[in-house]
Amino acid sequence: MTEAELYTLYKGIYLPSALHPPESLKYYEDFTFRPDDILIATYPKSGTTWMQEIVPLIMSGGDPASVESLPNWDRVPWLEEQRALILNLEQRPSPRMFSTHYRYNMLPPSFFKVKPKVIYITRNPKDVFTSAFHYYDTTSFLVKPGPQNEFLHKFLDGNVMFGSWFDHVKSWLNAEDKEHIMYISYEELIMDLKDSVARIAKFLGKSLEAEVVEKIAERCLFKNMRQNNMSNYSLVPAQFMDQSKSKFLRKGIAGDWKNQLTEAEAEHFDAVYKDKMKDVTYKFVWD
Ligand code: A3P
């Protein structure tokens, strides 16, 4: 199926129509944030699910039930997704935890007024591409990636769900008020998960004993998260997500692009990156 058949063009970017009917987009436009809400913001395939495990564990002081009683999509729901309509989010006790794949400038007016805490995760875009290439092949609601080189061009041109990686990252880096935003990379989580958990807890104003931080980090290791049926997408029927093709929690490493991109593709990627990111002064761990 094609983009025209599977996607909705919303504010100039593609969204999979099956997950984002017009009522959902409207719901988010009118959504009222609370000052103590926590929002995980990501470009898809950057570590959203990982943070949906880390944040509830931090906020519950390390209680395993916080990630074992609800699937990640209800535990830290995406505000732009259809399920947000039926979860009674207005009735949830504070602090509420949400996810979003929106760019900064797509958020509703209440966000800019209330300024809830945001954790924005970045990931080396070549790894984002690699993860997406495998993921797109598994789902019925995304356009099949086709040949790798073709998908690479779509990705670099932003003709994929949630648009261009470059525009997404730049929108969040250029946020007007950065006081309430924590920027952290997938690579930092990989390099030192314990330290990352401690930093995230501090940002969220949660003081945790060292051993609790250690327990949370242990639980959030790739091999352990893969066992959590509330986080590994095993509850999703195969007709929507066929994990026999590729697991959602696929490899969980930094630098897998080296196994995926040809030398010519990597060079092309770097050239596009250099051009699109030329005005960005932020220092990424992968630069
Ligand atoms: P890979 O496909 O490279 O393995 P998102 O949740 O934003 O869609 O991102 C999915 C990516 O995050 C996948 O990358 C997935 O394996 C990775 N991921 C999820 N949990 C992880 C963890 N605990 N450790 C490392 N990577 C994790």
Side-chain angles (χ1 to χ4, degrees), residues 45-50 123 131 186 220 225 249-252:
K45 312 321 288 175
S46 301
T48 327
T49 316
W50 201 355
R123 185 182 190 187
S131 183
Y186 180 93
C220 295
M225 249 183 81
L249 296 172
R250 190 184 59 92
K251 278 202 182 173

Side-chain angles (χ1 to χ4, degrees), residues 130-185:
T130 301
S131 183
F133 180 66
H134 292 280
Y135 176 63
Y136 275 56
D137 197 34
T138 66
T139 70
S140 61
F141 50 85
L142 295 173
V143 176
K144 291 277 170 270
Q148 178 163 308
N149 205 261
E150 217 168 88
F151 188 64
L152 181 66
H153 283 96
K154 279 188 185 178
F155 182 87
L156 292 173
D157 292 341
N159 291 325
V160 287
M161 68 160 163
F162 291 98
S164 152
W165 178 89
F166 304 100
D167 291 343
H168 200 281
V169 170
K170 284 195 274 189
S171 80
W172 280 99
L173 291 179
N174 291 334
E176 268 154 42
D177 193 340
K178 298 195 182 64
E179 292 272 286
H180 64 115
I181 305 174
M182 176 180 192
Y183 296 93
I184 190 161
S185 62

Side-chain angles (χ1 to χ4, degrees), residues 42-52 78 101 123 127 130-132 134-135 186 190 193 219-223 225-226 233 246-253 256:
T42 55
Y43 184 84
K45 312 321 288 175
S46 301
T48 327
T49 316
W50 201 355
M51 203 55 79
Q52 287 171 328
W78 278 271
H101 286 318
R123 185 182 190 187
D127 281 337
T130 301
S131 183
H134 292 280
Y135 176 63
Y186 180 93
I190 290 279
L193 188 52
R219 248 215 95 99
C220 295
L221 287 176
F222 184 71
K223 63 174 187 300
M225 249 183 81
R226 252 191 159 188
Y233 284 82
S246 176
K247 293 269 182 237
F248 188 96
L249 296 172
R250 190 184 59 92
K251 278 202 182 173
I253 58 169
D256 192 38

